[in-house]
Amino acid sequence: MAVPFYGRASAAVFSPLESMSRSELVVCRLMDAIALGLLPDAEQLPGEMDLASIFGVSTVTVREALSVLRAEGLIETRRGRGGGSFVRAPEDGVNRLARRRLDGLALSELRDLGDVYAAISGASSALAARRSSPDDLVRLGRVADALAAADTADARRRADGHFHIEVAAAAQSPQLYHEEVRLQAEFGTLLWIAFGDDSSHAQMVRSCRAVVAAIAERDPRAAREAAEQRVADSTARLIDYRLNEDLT
Amino acid sequence: MSPQTPPDVERVRYAVEDVVSHALDLVDRIVAAVQPVLAAQPAPRRSDLAVVEPVVAPVLADLDQPVQGAGFVAAVGLLEDARWWLEWFARDPDGRVQRLVTHSEPQAMGFYDYESLPWYLVPSTTGRPHVTGPYVDYVCTEEYTLTFSSPVMVGDRFLGVAGADIAVKSAEQRLLPALCAADRRLAVVNDDGRILSSNDGRHVCGDLLPDADARADAAHPVAGVPLSIVTLSD
């Protein structure tokens, strides 16, 4: 077995799982990633053994999950040399798959997830304002620039995930970092359903700059507030998306 | 270093030097293994880096020493068959040595451009060994880590870095006895003024040194690395 090496936004895809049937969870996690374009079309998935060790499940569970994804037409498995499982992006994009999971959650549950995510994100930003070195600030600025420059929906989602992870790392807290990754997997992937178009992107770039500016000014209170507001905006956008969906 | 360093501070410095030398000794041996191969090979490939594993694997397998990951990271564009490459090995939670799996295609999921990260960037620009951290190593171990890295040069040409990781908790274990035995409040800090370890609950690991404590005259540098021991004011 090899040590897995999956950083950045993909950390959300390949972090350990919680409850539900294990194979359902693997299906769920990979489906989200495919639906959101985090796993792009034609991307090769890690091998069964690696997936099993990344998710902390048996290879039997992984095989079960892969066969569900195959039946959904989301992956294609080729045998032989250069073989493996490859992503097949769904033709109607995000909608069908991501909506299915979003529809399973009540608005009150979305709000609650938003509250927890705001708490973690706010605490990370406040600590980052106290603990960032000049190097950290340069890196945060660079990630903010990358978010501003991203011009496709999935590039914007990846950059947004990366920004949150950089802030958690700048807080110097492995525990907050792990919470961030867990919440990004559980809730960030839902938030990204309603994020990616130009207007949401402009809003997220603005709030990202506000967080970075407060961290650069070593103002923990302003950093916390900006980060909480950023998550609150995303949560509101997702709830609006869900409400509009119910109308149509 | 200076003759007037008090003995309790001197003992902390010995402890720091001991941790540093575990990492840098291995780093030096990786440099010594890789450098002649790259000097002799104008168009190196990943397979030429096979010299790294026999150097690092026995060290990583020894649980009595603190280095938990080590290897060689190729300069971007150096190798014929991978623009980015980490020939890196690490101890897994069961203490077994594993090769790190990385993607070398920029479009791939796990791809990781290390060119701007301090453990690569600083040695490549200064030509000297560097200590990165304490930092949350979110691209690899996901642990709170110190990374020691040195440039591999052939003539004036930078070919990559040799590196070694020590978990912050392992470093702390080795520093605390001397810190606790000291007669004054001390902190071991890096060049950013970030605290690696201290004997004061108000200035803990990961915090930046308060400005009032950042006076150079209160600092006892550790030779050869950007670390120093500072006396904390009351």
Side-chain angles (χ1 to χ4, degrees):
Chain A
M1 188 208 86
V3 178
F5 184 77
Y6 298 100
R8 305 205 167 166
S10 62
V13 184
F14 292 119
S15 67
L17 304 161
E18 311 275 310
S19 54
M20 242 157 93
S21 129
R22 309 226 103 197
S23 74
E24 275 171 353
L25 276 166
V26 174
V27 169
C28 197
R29 186 70 67 76
L30 291 172
M31 218 178 236
D32 283 348
I34 294 169
L36 291 166
L38 294 175
L39 285 170
D41 195 36
E43 169 87 5
Q44 181 169 10
L45 293 180
E48 287 178 0
M49 300 274 278
D50 286 341
L51 283 173
S53 89
I54 291 163
F55 289 129
V57 300
S58 69
T59 48
V60 177
T61 303
V62 167
R63 248 172 251 144
E64 249 173 58
L66 292 180
S67 77
V68 173
L69 292 168
R70 209 172 295 126
E72 292 269 359
L74 292 173
I75 59 167
E76 177 178 70
T77 303
R78 289 175 226 147
R79 312 228 163 262
R81 201 176 142 76
S85 294
F86 297 83
V87 172
R88 285 183 53 189
E91 277 166 23
D92 61 350
V94 166
N95 292 334
R96 182 172 56 91
L97 295 168
R99 277 188 181 186
R100 201 190 293 169
R101 186 153 87 85
L102 182 60
D103 291 347
L105 287 165
L107 295 185
S108 56
E109 289 176 304
L110 292 178
R111 195 226 67 204
D112 197 27
L113 282 164
D115 291 345
V116 179
Y117 199 24
I120 294 299
S121 201
S124 294
S125 301
L127 286 172
R130 247 186 263 159
R131 293 184 177 151
S132 285
S133 67
D135 274 356
D136 293 330
L137 290 174
V138 169
R139 218 160 26 248
L140 285 168
R142 210 178 281 143
V143 189
D145 292 343
L147 176 62
D151 56 3
T152 63
D154 62 296
R156 287 167 175 173
R157 290 168 183 145
R158 280 175 195 247
D160 179 63
H162 187 195
F163 173 68
H164 278 267
I165 284 189
E166 279 293 354
V167 172
Q172 296 281 319
S173 167
Q175 297 275 357
L176 280 173
Y177 162 79
H178 284 288
E179 273 308 295
E180 169 62 43
V181 169
R182 191 185 69 75
L183 281 162
Q184 217 172 79
E186 188 176 351
F187 188 53
T189 47
L190 289 174
L191 291 177
W192 287 336
I193 293 171
F195 169 58
D197 64 298
D198 289 346
S199 97
S200 65
H201 179 241
Q203 185 189 34
M204 292 306 265
V205 170
R206 264 199 313 279
S207 60
C208 173
R209 300 277 191 212
V211 174
V212 174
I215 291 173
E217 279 163 26
R218 309 208 163 286
D219 184 341
R221 194 175 299 178
R224 183 188 299 271
E225 217 162 273
E228 285 175 352
Q229 189 58 48
R230 189 168 196 273
V231 174
D233 289 344
S234 307
T235 308
R237 206 166 46 232
L238 179 65
I239 290 176
D240 282 341
Y241 176 95
R242 174 65 194 281
L243 288 167
N244 286 326
E245 199 186 28
D246 285 347
L247 289 177
T248 54
Chain B
M1 218 182 238
S2 54
Q4 60 272 53
T5 303
D8 58 333
V9 177
E10 198 62 58
R11 278 193 290 276
V12 174
R13 183 148 66 199
Y14 289 148
V16 176
E17 284 168 351
D18 179 60
V19 171
V20 170
S21 67
H22 273 290
L24 287 186
D25 287 354
L26 181 58
V27 166
D28 288 347
R29 288 171 50 210
I30 298 166
V31 174
V34 169
Q35 202 266 353
V37 173
L38 296 179
Q41 177 56 273
R45 306 181 69 82
R46 284 180 293 198
S47 53
D48 292 313
L49 300 175
V51 293
V52 172
E53 185 171 6
V55 174
V56 302
V59 177
L60 299 177
D62 174 6
L63 301 181
D64 293 331
Q65 63 77 46
V67 178
Q68 56 169 31
F72 171 74
V73 179
V76 178
L78 171 76
L79 300 177
E80 288 288 292
D81 51 351
R83 189 165 164 73
W84 291 267
W85 188 253
L86 292 93
E87 185 78 4
W88 198 267
F89 299 83
R91 223 146 57 190
D92 72 10
D94 300 322
R96 289 170 306 194
V97 178
Q98 311 283 2
R99 170 187 284 275
L100 200 66
V101 178
T102 67
H103 284 273
S104 50
E105 296 305 315
Q107 294 312 312
M109 277 289 292
F111 173 72
Y112 156 38
D113 183 3
Y114 43 77
E115 213 172 349
S116 62
L117 297 181
W119 52 257
Y120 177 91
L121 187 65
V122 177
S124 77
T125 50
T126 64
R128 298 225 306 270
H130 186 64
V131 186
T132 304
Y135 72 112
V136 180
D137 177 19
Y138 65 82
V139 284
C140 177
T141 62
E142 301 206 304
E143 268 203 66
Y144 208 32
T145 304
L146 290 172
T147 299
F148 297 78
S149 53
S150 278
V152 176
M153 312 286 294
V154 170
D156 291 341
R157 203 169 150 229
F158 169 75
L159 301 180
V161 299
D165 286 343
I166 293 184
V168 167
K169 63 181 176 199
S170 311
E172 179 188 284
Q173 258 169 20
R174 286 161 184 266
L175 300 179
L176 268 189
L179 282 168
C180 292
D183 304 329
R184 65 207 84 212
R185 298 193 302 122
L186 296 171
V188 179
V189 301
N190 70 11
D191 264 10
D192 289 326
R194 187 176 318 284
I195 298 171
L196 164 58
S197 191
S198 82
N199 57 8
D200 180 351
R202 283 172 306 161
H203 302 97
V204 291
C205 180
D207 280 346
L208 294 174
L209 205 63
D211 287 339
D213 290 308
R215 303 189 329 267
D217 61 342
H220 305 272
V222 178
V225 285
L227 292 174
S228 52
I229 298 148
V230 295
T231 308
L232 298 166
S233 57
D234 289 314

